[in-house]
Amino acid sequence: MVQAIPTTVTFDEFIAWYPSESGCHYELRSGEIVEMPKPTGKHSRVAGFSIAELNFEIRRLKLPYFIPKECVIKSIRDESGYEPDVIVLDERTIADSPRWEKESIITQGSSVRLVVEVVSTNWSDDYALKLEEYEALGISEYWIVDYLGLGGRRFIGNPKRPTLSIYQLVEGEYQVRQFRENERIESFTFPELNLTASQVFRAGQ
């Protein structure tokens, strides 16, 4: 039986409430629990393709990283928590997040090598809200995979077209580079990654 959604809660109350058997995903936004829309098949394929490619690179180079099935990133600014589409964690620094072992909760940006969000209809969450949260937490690299070109023109340009935006932390602030069509993706975390933006986008076609 799915539990009723409370009105306003703390992060710890949200974690205690989270109905793991419901099949739904939830995020906490400034104390309010938000049920996330079910991802489309194309959205899931893009996320799955990204996981497969990054996992291959991790195995190929024997990197000390891993991609968990799921986790929650705790905000350092307010009572918020987010479930990214893809997250790459660092085995060497995961102990910096003391709640990881028992609760799959990330509390320190130093535990994270990379976060990937695949854009859906609520694109402003990825380009504004989550970008600010991940920057504040100190997550070194953040990809926004906008395979349908849904984001606002101020984020992906005019005319709008499929864009993969990579935000990299430089002196505490994100700097962005964008990749389209057959441009090879350039990642600090995976510098040898041989992957183009169009290859990622095709997974959603």
Side-chain angles (χ1 to χ4, degrees):
M1 181 177 178
V2 178
Q3 303 176 55
I5 296 179
T7 51
T8 302
V9 299
T10 66
F11 179 83
D12 287 340
E13 288 171 338
F14 167 67
I15 294 299
W17 166 88
Y18 202 113
S20 58
E21 303 300 322
S22 72
C24 296
H25 287 283
Y26 300 90
E27 292 188 340
L28 186 66
R29 308 285 178 83
S30 299
E32 294 186 7
I33 296 175
V34 178
E35 182 176 342
M36 305 307 293
K38 292 267 188 195
T40 65
K42 292 181 178 180
H43 182 285
S44 295
R45 284 185 63 187
V46 171
F49 177 84
S50 301
I51 290 170
E53 291 295 317
L54 297 178
N55 259 330
F56 176 80
E57 197 71 356
I58 291 169
R59 290 194 304 271
R60 184 179 75 85
L61 297 175
K62 297 181 173 60
L63 299 171
Y65 309 152
F66 68 98
I67 300 176
K69 181 176 182 292
E70 58 191 10
C71 74
V72 176
I73 298 176
K74 183 182 185 299
S75 170
I76 62 170
R77 304 194 303 177
D78 60 11
E79 298 295 333
S80 297
Y82 306 93
E83 285 195 63
D85 290 316
V86 183
I87 187 168
V88 178
L89 299 177
D90 193 324
E91 293 177 349
R92 300 165 300 182
T93 56
I94 192 63
D96 293 344
S97 290
R99 300 183 65 169
W100 164 255
E101 200 62 40
K102 292 184 178 180
E103 301 173 287
S104 297
I105 294 170
I106 298 299
T107 57
Q108 301 293 325
S110 59
S111 307
V112 183
R113 297 298 302 174
L114 171 67
V115 167
V116 180
E117 296 287 4
V118 180
V119 172
S120 54
T121 52
N122 55 338
W123 55 264
S124 63
D125 288 350
D126 300 321
Y127 283 105
L129 176 66
K130 292 184 180 181
L131 187 146
E132 291 180 0
E133 290 283 359
Y134 297 158
E135 181 183 64
L137 196 60
I139 292 174
S140 60
E141 188 167 338
Y142 172 39
W143 294 13
I144 301 178
V145 181
D146 196 344
Y147 69 100
L148 294 175
L150 296 175
R153 291 178 176 84
R154 67 186 179 279
F155 298 114
I156 61 173
N158 189 16
K160 298 202 293 186
R161 53 186 174 142
T163 302
L164 196 156
S165 301
I166 295 185
Y167 291 84
Q168 292 167 330
L169 205 62
V170 178
E171 296 180 356
E173 295 184 2
Y174 276 144
Q175 304 294 318
V176 64
R177 295 192 64 186
Q178 296 185 316
F179 304 89
R180 302 177 179 90
E181 299 178 348
N182 292 318
E183 295 175 337
R184 179 178 171 271
I185 296 168
E186 297 180 16
S187 165
F188 284 171
T189 305
F190 296 98
E192 296 184 29
L193 185 65
N194 187 18
L195 190 65
T196 66
S198 62
Q199 286 176 300
V200 178
F201 301 151
R202 279 200 296 269
Q205 295 176 353

